[in-house]
Amino acid sequence: MSLPTHIPMQVAGGKTVDVPSVGYGTWAAGETGWCKDATLAALKAGYRHLDCAWMYGVDEEVGTAIRESGIPRSEIFITSKFWPHFAAPENVELCLDQVLKNMGLDYVDLFLAHWPVAFKPVSQQALHKAVTGPGKSDSEKGILVEGEETLKDWEHTSSNLASQEGHEGSFVPTWKAMQKLVSTGKTRAVGISNFSITDIKALLPHQGDVPISCNQIEVHPWLPQTQLIEFHKEHNILTTCYSPFAGQKKDGATLVKDETVQRLAKESGLEEGQLLQSWAVQRGTIPLGKSATESRMKSNLNVQKLSDEHIKALDQLEIPNGDYTGMGRTIATDRPWGVNMFSN
């Protein structure tokens, strides 16, 4: 039995839009040459949801793939994100403008804050010239560093994170700048990524007519994030899931090679990635898996309803205290940039 092909997301004016329930992730370490052909193949395979970000450095490749696909822009849901050195309210739109220019688009469907921490840019002029991608230095990206330290802009960092490091800060001014972007027509909705419950609570009183449409977080059976996802549902915030197959753990273990995952996949007649994507959609979340293999692209997209028994078995893979270093989390496992990012 198939699962929903779309999941509703709240947007401005009390309206909702239907978001394709399986997305295609466009981030990968290393060179970006793979991205155009892989994204084009994904679109031809049936994907209509692309997850992107300024920092990925593949906006031009994604834009080229969209044009070469011949698929009308209106049929593709596109997400992008601004990196923390664009977080000052006066710089948020600048990042969106760069994304649109590089992609060759008039708008994105969803624009997210990539992290609840803010960095200091070299200058606003440097941001106008900023470029990203493999091999680009912090200076070329417009990020201010001192020695090996990325300098934080505590003023525009979430109050939760700033206070933990002995500073005063608030993400609210940045959030209000993001909300204004909706009226420009450059994005249909705005949201966040890697925000904790405490970080979100600080923004809830400031939603107004433009809500927090989405929070994108790492989610997979090792790190199911059940408490955070339930909080999202209480406040009509869509959950999109990066790394739905999990990254490689420090001991080299991978989720797709886990004995339980392989057994369940065999029993259900699914590929391992297809099984994990199905688990995500059945929970009411949107997985953003990535593969460069066309056969796996197709199977990952073809999510199927799992039995209660199989759902329970996957749920039981949760690693206790998985929110913390070396446990269930496989992306940004240590304190990213010296900040305790993942405490609620």
Side-chain angles (χ1 to χ4, degrees):
M1 184 183 296
S2 297
L3 291 168
T5 59
H6 292 76
I7 295 178
M9 179 182 75
Q10 66 168 355
V11 297
K15 299 178 181 179
T16 61
V17 298
D18 288 332
V19 183
S21 60
V22 176
Y24 185 74
T26 61
W27 179 86
E31 291 302 317
T32 61
W34 63 274
C35 185
K36 194 272 282 186
D37 289 342
T39 302
L40 180 59
L43 290 169
K44 288 183 177 180
Y47 285 85
R48 294 297 181 268
H49 180 172
L50 302 177
D51 182 68
C52 312
W54 180 87
M55 191 62 174
Y56 299 169
V58 294
D59 286 343
E60 291 185 13
E61 289 83 352
V62 171
T64 299
I66 292 170
R67 288 186 291 277
E68 289 189 10
S69 75
I71 298 167
R73 167 66 186 90
S74 61
E75 295 181 11
I76 305 172
F77 187 95
I78 300 172
T79 298
S80 192
K81 316 172 194 74
F82 66 84
W83 201 244
H85 64 312
F86 286 97
E90 64 271 19
N91 295 329
V92 172
E93 187 172 9
L94 173 58
C95 186
L96 179 54
D97 288 341
Q98 286 194 13
V99 166
L100 296 176
K101 179 181 177 181
N102 291 337
M103 283 191 171
L105 301 177
D106 295 324
Y107 71 96
V108 295
D109 296 276
L110 178 62
F111 193 52
L112 307 178
H114 212 142
W115 294 92
V117 68
F119 301 157
K120 290 184 178 180
V122 172
S123 65
Q124 191 175 63
Q125 183 179 8
L127 292 181
H128 279 277
K129 301 177 181 178
V131 291
T132 190
K136 301 300 182 184
S137 66
D138 286 330
S139 177
E140 289 174 298
K141 295 172 185 174
I143 301 171
L144 187 62
V145 297
E146 190 173 88
E148 295 185 357
E149 181 185 0
T150 300
L151 296 185
K152 264 65 95 195
D153 171 8
W154 294 114
E155 179 185 355
H156 298 112
T157 293
S158 78
S159 56
N160 171 41
L161 298 182
S163 63
Q164 289 184 50
E165 305 299 327
H167 300 275
E168 291 186 4
S170 173
F171 202 82
V172 171
T174 300
W175 171 246
K176 290 183 176 180
M178 293 174 66
Q179 289 176 302
K180 292 178 181 178
L181 296 176
V182 175
S183 63
T184 69
K186 297 176 183 179
T187 183
R188 297 172 68 195
V190 287
I192 51 184
S193 179
N194 296 300
F195 275 55
S196 69
I197 290 174
T198 303
D199 295 325
I200 298 170
K201 283 182 176 179
L203 299 182
L204 289 176
H206 305 280
Q207 290 191 98
D209 188 56
V210 180
I212 302 169
S213 291
C214 171
N215 188 20
Q216 185 176 128
I217 54 176
E218 180 182 354
V219 182
H220 43 74
W222 282 343
L223 184 72
Q225 302 261 39
T226 303
Q227 182 182 9
L228 181 52
I229 291 171
E230 288 304 314
F231 180 83
H232 289 166
K233 290 178 180 178
E234 290 173 14
H235 297 280
N236 297 314
I237 299 170
L238 178 66
T239 303
T240 56
C241 311
Y242 67 80
S243 297
F245 312 141
Q248 182 172 293
K249 294 174 67 177
K250 293 181 179 180
D251 63 2
T254 60
L255 184 58
V256 293
K257 292 184 179 179
D258 178 272
E259 289 182 2
T260 298
V261 171
Q262 293 195 329
R263 174 178 61 81
L264 296 176
K266 186 176 181 179
E267 290 177 0
S268 56
L270 304 176
E271 298 285 340
E272 289 84 358
Q274 186 181 13
L275 176 82
L276 295 170
Q277 300 256 102
S278 298
W279 174 82
V281 175
Q282 201 156 329
R283 301 174 87 215
T285 66
I286 294 180
L288 305 168
K290 182 182 75 67
S291 175
T293 306
E294 290 188 36
S295 61
R296 287 180 181 164
M297 286 180 186
K298 291 178 180 178
S299 66
N300 291 344
L301 181 61
N302 183 25
V303 292
Q304 300 291 320
K305 186 174 177 61
L306 305 178
S307 69
D308 292 343
E309 179 185 353
H310 285 176
I311 288 288
K312 183 178 180 180
L314 288 169
D315 289 344
Q316 290 175 343
L317 293 179
E318 178 179 7
I319 297 176
N321 299 316
D323 247 2
Y324 301 100
T325 302
M327 309 300 275
R329 190 176 298 281
T330 61
I331 306 297
T333 55
D334 298 315
R335 285 165 44 98
W337 309 290
V339 179
N340 190 21
M341 200 77 68
F342 300 114
S343 65
N344 277 332

